[in-house]
Amino acid sequence: MVCQAQIEASSRFCPIHTRAFLNLREAFTKWTLGYGGVARDEFLQRILRLSETGQKTKEVARFLIEDLSRWT
Amino acid sequence: MDLIQTLIVCEKPDAAGRVARALDDDNDPRRTNEQGVPLYEARRGKEIIFVCTALGHLYAVDSKARTSRRFYPVWDNAWKSKNLIDRESSRLAKWIQTISRIAQDSDRFINACDYDVEGSLIGYTVLRYACNNAHSDAERMKFSTMTENELRTAYKTRASHLDFSQAEAGRCRHELDWLYGINLSRVLTESTFKQNKGYATLSTGRVQGPTLKFVVVREEEIQCHAPTPYWKIEATIVHEGKTYEIDFEKERVGTQVEASQIVKNCRNAILEVTDLESKKIQQAPPYPFDLSSLQAEAYRHLGYSPSRTLALAETLYLEALISYPRTSSQKLPPEIDYTEILKGLNKYPSYRVLASRLAAQSGIRPNQGPKQDPAHPAVYPTGESPKRSLLEPETKLLDLVIRRFMSTFAEASLRENTRITLEKDQYHFFLRGSRLVREGWVEYYRPYAHNESQDLPGLRKDDRVLVHKIDSTEKFTEPPPRYNPGSLLRRMEDENIGTKATRAEIIDTLYRRGYIKENRIQTTPLALKVASILERYCPLITDSDFTAGLENKMELIQQERMSRTEVLTEALEHLRTIMHTLIEREGELGSQLSEIVAAQRTSNITFSYPCPSCNSKLMIIRSRGSGKRFIGCTGYQSGCRFTLPLPQFGALTISRRSCKTCGFQQVMVRSRGRRPLISCPRCYKNKSKVKRGATDQIKSASPLTAA
């Protein structure tokens, strides 16, 4: 869905994007705790702007921003 | 009077010259040049000594039968002279002919190649194949420096037989590397080529595979990094007109609310000094250099890549200025005569004061490190003066070796670390300071040793001080740092893969294959694909434990606790299974790799900086007529004739860096054993134009001036 690579059976992503997606979800929990609550949309927008964010994580974030229901 | 004729085999021409000079009664051997092959003839009493030289390996492993270079799998192999294996080595035929001719009339044979696995193997193959099986009763010289004294002693005390166990370990390593490298690389390259999307040499091997995995794993960590926020408390105090930074007890505060609360509670607060703690810490001198620590220090302080450091160190060794650099030892035995070396260093004006101070002390001992090498001591300077003026990089590396050598004999340095604790309610802040009480070895290792001191205010217990500024800064977690050639080499060493002689070369190969780029190493899409294919179909090849296991077994051959055949048989069983799997899935493999190869080829030669004339894309093009490469415009068909020149030698990559003068994208050229050269093609062209213009002016001006 994000790239042309073969997706994993248990996921909608290829192995590397699955890893980025899992990291993103884990980071969201920490962001919520850190800021005392943050909307997914805002979280993803900020993640995209940060220079520390990895390329694959940005690709997944872009994919999720298009349709937030993809998050679950 | 019957003269005995001895043939000594050395590894390199410079070494042969030094050995011949040291052994000749008059210190002046006759040098002849047969078909461009240097040969030395020395007289020593009733002995004529011919000293000949190899050029590294003259023999290598190749397939037994003459098969196509594209055929795989290949199992049967044999040692052949290198001129029969590759065209680049054709001149070695003359080398072998000359050695064989001298060998026919020789009564005694001595291997005087470097005393390590590779040197033992070079001498062994030359004596066996070029000297008609002379290896069986040849003798062996062992030395760690090329000084005349040590060479003469090594000749007198030579062993009566070759070091066969080292040679066997070397044979095994070469045969294993060939079997793994040839088969795996051919299956990757050929399966890709069969997809008709162009040719690219793809390679892997039992050391290259795990090394590639290290960088790929790191790249994936970086690419999948999702930063999380934390807050840092930054505060200062002012005491007697001077501002000091203070550290909050927690380096990272996890929530914004907590950080704001700390700032609110401590703004304009009075802090009380509750504790003053001072600790004096002795810092032992550094260990003597083994090759890896020399490469790491040279990268850190001088910016030299590991392969460049090795090349420079070998030059200094051949000039008899330092001891043999390919060593794993961090120990300096007393036999090298520390005082004599320090007296030698006394001749260099810049080391005179320090060296004479050490030499005046009685019973000096170096701070020996834990690593050992049965063949050679740690790297040390010989104390001899250079016979020619050294190049700047050689001088710098020699300086590093000399200062490190001297510092290992110096006393420990003494540093006083002080921590002042300041409190406000439940909050703790710290003021940290440090000063060097006694310089010790730091004085000897300057400028490579850090000598940072941080002063503290004169505060006492129960003193009070006002918080001058306090704020919280939002920060985000960073991905792990990228490898550089130095840190990657250290990782290879920690994992025990490759040898001190081959690690730097493996990293260079990864660059040449287009798997990695830049100094802060980035992997290319091709590397990610190759690594994922290997991980999927033959994980053993990228498993560092498997490679380290083979390295251990080769050490057992050296210790005569395992035979070469045993190790080869076991390793081949694994390789046969791997090859079977890969050949079965050749089509699948090829189609995945060929897509990436084609995409990478285009991206590798395309500049992101547009053509200044027509705004089209600029590419690296090779002229069909002259074979030369240059930068050309893709708008050529529409009439754009913009071109720029390029360096013609070395592996060329387009850098992401822009030229500070004109903004054009720079190019980087890597040549083996040399520092990468980064330049701007546009500025180069303009400079050439100016130069040409000046010459033209002089030419055109000359007749007028004459008139």
Side-chain angles (χ1 to χ4, degrees):
Chain A
M1 298 239 235
V2 179
C3 64
Q4 302 302 314
Q6 206 174 350
I7 60 164
E8 286 202 318
S10 57
S11 168
R12 284 163 296 154
F13 304 112
C14 72
I16 188 92
H17 282 114
T18 301
R19 189 171 159 188
F21 177 61
L22 293 175
N23 284 353
L24 208 53
R25 281 173 63 139
E26 201 184 311
F28 180 64
T29 313
K30 289 183 182 165
W31 278 60
T32 311
L33 201 72
Y35 291 108
V38 60
R40 274 181 197 152
D41 188 25
E42 191 195 339
F43 162 69
L44 293 171
Q45 294 287 2
R46 288 195 65 189
I47 274 281
L48 278 174
R49 286 198 298 270
L50 288 171
S51 61
E52 292 88 350
T53 309
Q55 199 51 42
K56 299 291 172 193
T57 311
K58 282 188 178 175
E59 285 168 12
V60 175
R62 264 184 226 114
F63 174 74
L64 296 174
I65 279 175
E66 283 173 16
D67 181 356
L68 284 177
S69 66
R70 287 167 173 170
W71 181 273
T72 44
Chain B
M1 183 175 69
D2 280 345
L3 291 173
I4 298 172
Q5 183 171 313
T6 303
L7 175 63
I8 298 183
V9 181
C10 288
E11 199 168 315
K12 298 176 192 85
D14 288 353
R18 285 202 166 262
V19 169
R21 230 179 347 268
L23 300 184
D24 187 68
D25 285 335
D26 301 325
N27 224 233
D28 187 22
R30 196 162 72 93
R31 187 185 195 276
T32 53
N33 220 322
E34 286 190 29
Q35 310 176 75
V37 182
L39 184 70
Y40 294 88
E41 188 183 334
R43 291 270 172 165
R44 192 174 176 79
K46 291 179 181 175
E47 211 179 342
I48 303 178
I49 303 174
F50 282 97
V51 185
C52 68
T53 172
L55 271 180
H57 283 282
L58 295 185
Y59 293 86
V61 186
D62 193 24
S63 54
K64 207 167 196 173
R66 290 202 123 211
T67 52
S68 157
R69 281 172 171 266
R70 298 173 57 183
F71 178 78
Y72 58 89
V74 269
W75 306 113
D76 292 334
N77 57 77
W79 284 83
K80 291 182 184 172
S81 59
K82 276 178 94 176
N83 56 297
L84 298 178
I85 300 172
D86 64 280
R87 259 179 265 154
E88 278 179 22
S89 306
S90 57
R91 69 183 180 137
L92 296 185
K94 290 173 189 166
W95 238 262
I96 293 169
Q97 275 169 20
T98 306
I99 296 172
S100 298
R101 191 185 61 72
I102 303 292
Q104 278 171 8
D105 302 322
S106 296
D107 311 300
R108 186 156 58 197
F109 297 87
I110 300 172
N111 178 10
C113 296
D114 295 339
Y115 198 84
D116 59 11
V117 169
E118 293 304 317
S120 297
L121 182 61
I122 290 170
Y124 171 89
T125 50
V126 168
L127 292 164
R128 180 171 176 176
Y129 302 115
C131 303
N132 196 19
N133 290 319
H135 64 292
S136 53
D137 40 32
E139 299 168 32
R140 181 71 161 117
M141 271 170 73
K142 181 186 172 183
F143 47 88
S144 290
T145 69
M146 303 261 13
T147 58
E148 290 187 0
N149 276 344
E150 186 163 348
L151 290 173
R152 280 187 207 116
T153 312
Y155 182 74
K156 277 183 208 154
T157 58
R158 63 190 182 267
S160 58
H161 53 81
L162 293 185
D163 41 348
F164 287 106
S165 55
Q166 283 210 92
E168 281 292 279
R171 277 175 74 192
C172 184
R173 176 181 298 283
H174 279 256
E175 285 160 5
L176 265 184
D177 285 349
W178 184 84
L179 282 161
Y180 272 74
I182 284 286
N183 283 301
L184 294 168
S185 302
R186 279 186 188 175
V187 76
L188 291 180
T189 305
E190 286 304 316
S191 59
T192 308
F193 186 59
K194 282 176 189 165
Q195 301 294 316
N196 291 324
K197 286 187 180 161
Y199 181 86
T201 307
L202 301 178
S203 69
T204 189
R206 53 169 207 94
V207 182
Q208 216 186 102
T211 311
L212 182 66
K213 191 178 171 184
F214 296 149
V215 282
V216 164
V217 165
R218 181 61 56 90
E219 183 72 41
E220 286 179 353
E221 280 173 37
I222 294 168
Q223 290 200 1
C224 294
H225 181 69
T228 52
Y230 68 91
W231 285 263
K232 188 174 163 57
I233 305 295
E234 289 171 331
T236 58
I237 56 163
V238 176
H239 185 76
E240 292 173 348
K242 210 173 162 188
T243 308
Y244 297 91
E245 276 182 22
I246 52 174
D247 300 331
F248 184 62
E249 59 189 283
K250 280 191 210 166
E251 210 177 305
R252 293 174 178 199
V253 177
T255 69
Q256 195 176 25
V257 173
E258 191 189 350
S260 307
Q261 196 64 42
I262 296 163
V263 172
K264 193 179 156 196
N265 291 346
C266 296
R267 182 158 286 149
N268 296 322
I270 304 283
L271 301 176
E272 189 181 333
V273 177
T274 56
D275 194 25
L276 273 121
E277 201 183 354
S278 269
K279 272 186 193 163
K280 283 189 178 162
I281 297 167
Q282 281 219 0
Q283 280 182 305
Y287 298 138
F289 273 140
D290 63 323
L291 176 62
S292 308
S293 52
L294 172 65
Q295 286 171 316
E297 284 285 271
Y299 184 80
R300 190 186 312 162
H301 298 293
L302 308 173
Y304 298 163
S305 70
S307 55
R308 187 162 187 238
T309 300
L310 179 59
L312 289 169
E314 279 184 346
T315 310
L316 295 175
Y317 163 68
L318 291 170
E319 293 284 330
L321 296 171
I322 65 168
S323 63
Y324 188 61
R326 293 182 194 223
T327 174
S328 308
S329 173
Q330 292 177 325
K331 294 186 193 298
L332 293 171
E335 295 79 56
I336 66 168
D337 200 343
Y338 313 137
T339 318
E340 207 50 44
I341 295 170
L342 289 167
K343 277 182 192 162
L345 294 178
N346 226 340
K347 288 179 223 147
Y348 294 78
S350 39
Y351 311 120
R352 188 167 296 147
V353 176
L354 297 173
S356 56
R357 197 189 300 163
L358 283 175
Q361 294 170 21
S362 60
I364 52 164
R365 276 187 312 150
N367 182 31
Q368 309 280 25
K371 289 195 200 165
Q372 304 198 50
D373 187 327
H376 295 281
V379 184
Y380 63 90
T382 59
E384 297 216 347
S385 305
K387 302 278 186 294
R388 61 171 173 91
S389 66
L390 298 179
L391 300 173
E392 195 192 335
E394 292 166 351
T395 312
K396 283 183 175 173
L397 195 73
L398 181 61
D399 180 67
L400 180 64
V401 172
I402 291 175
R403 290 191 187 277
R404 178 70 162 226
F405 173 76
M406 291 194 297
S407 67
T408 61
F409 293 96
E411 62 177 340
S413 69
L414 190 65
R415 184 172 280 279
E416 186 181 46
N417 291 332
T418 306
R419 191 179 81 163
I420 300 174
T421 308
L422 304 143
E423 276 184 39
K424 154 82 172 115
D425 302 331
Q426 74 271 36
Y427 302 119
H428 294 75
F429 291 86
F430 302 110
L431 249 170
R432 292 188 174 93
S434 169
R435 69 187 182 96
L436 210 55
V437 181
R438 186 180 66 221
E439 279 200 313
W441 61 269
V442 172
E443 188 186 1
Y444 292 82
Y445 200 41
R446 202 172 276 133
Y448 311 111
H450 296 293
N451 183 18
E452 284 166 10
S453 284
Q454 202 189 334
D455 292 334
L456 284 177
L459 287 169
R460 290 181 184 180
K461 202 174 173 195
D462 299 329
D463 278 356
R464 286 158 187 269
V465 60
L466 182 73
V467 173
H468 177 58
K469 271 186 190 168
I470 184 161
D471 247 317
S472 70
T473 315
E474 183 188 56
K475 291 192 178 280
F476 292 90
T477 52
E478 302 238 0
R482 290 187 180 280
Y483 284 111
N484 57 46
S487 59
L488 184 57
L489 189 119
R490 257 199 315 281
R491 176 80 196 269
M492 292 169 82
E493 195 194 356
D494 292 345
E495 301 281 345
N496 190 25
I497 62 168
T499 68
K500 49 191 180 282
T502 58
R503 287 179 193 124
E505 174 62 27
I506 293 285
I507 296 174
D508 278 357
T509 306
L510 294 181
Y511 275 108
R512 277 203 307 276
R513 296 280 177 257
Y515 291 156
I516 58 176
K517 55 184 184 181
E518 306 286 333
N519 240 7
R520 288 179 65 235
I521 296 173
Q522 293 174 36
T523 55
T524 61
L526 178 62
L528 295 173
K529 182 52 83 182
V530 169
S532 84
I533 283 175
L534 295 175
E535 191 66 24
R536 191 163 168 201
Y537 300 118
C538 45
L540 210 57
I541 289 300
T542 55
D543 182 359
S544 55
D545 287 343
F546 172 68
T547 303
L550 285 176
E551 302 286 351
N552 289 336
K553 281 173 187 151
M554 279 181 269
E555 271 169 36
L556 292 178
I557 300 176
Q558 262 176 273
Q559 296 162 16
E560 297 177 14
R561 288 163 59 196
M562 227 177 156
S563 75
R564 178 178 134 263
T565 323
E566 277 175 287
V567 178
L568 279 172
T569 311
E570 193 187 318
L572 269 173
E573 269 174 40
H574 292 299
L575 183 61
R576 278 182 208 279
T577 320
I578 291 167
M579 285 304 289
H580 183 71
T581 316
L582 291 178
I583 290 169
E584 249 183 8
R585 295 170 182 270
E586 205 180 35
E588 200 181 323
L589 225 86
S591 78
Q592 288 185 43
L593 284 168
S594 60
E595 296 288 337
I596 299 280
V597 164
Q600 183 151 314
R601 184 177 297 122
T602 314
S603 80
N604 277 352
I605 58 167
T606 310
F607 284 79
S608 50
Y609 193 95
C611 172
S613 300
C614 71
N615 228 18
S616 303
K617 282 186 176 171
L618 292 174
M619 291 180 97
I620 297 174
I621 297 167
R622 197 171 276 282
S623 158
R624 281 186 189 166
S626 64
K628 288 188 174 176
R629 58 191 179 192
F630 63 96
I631 299 171
C633 180
T634 48
Y636 183 82
Q637 302 290 348
S638 330
C640 180
R641 294 290 178 267
F642 182 83
T643 59
L644 288 173
L646 281 173
Q648 296 302 318
F649 300 101
L652 191 76
T653 46
I654 301 173
S655 169
R656 284 192 312 169
R657 281 196 240 172
S658 300
C659 172
K660 283 178 188 163
T661 315
C662 71
F664 194 81
Q665 223 172 332
Q666 293 183 312
V667 292
M668 181 163 76
V669 181
R670 277 184 170 272
S671 301
R672 201 174 287 185
R674 289 194 177 180
R675 194 178 192 161
L677 179 79
I678 299 172
S679 64
C680 170
R682 202 179 184 188
C683 289
Y684 176 77
K685 187 182 183 183
N686 292 340
K687 264 187 207 164
S688 312
K689 259 188 190 173
V690 172
K691 266 191 193 169
R692 266 204 307 274
T695 322
D696 292 346
Q697 268 182 8
I698 292 165
K699 275 181 190 167
S700 56
S702 300
L704 288 172
T705 319

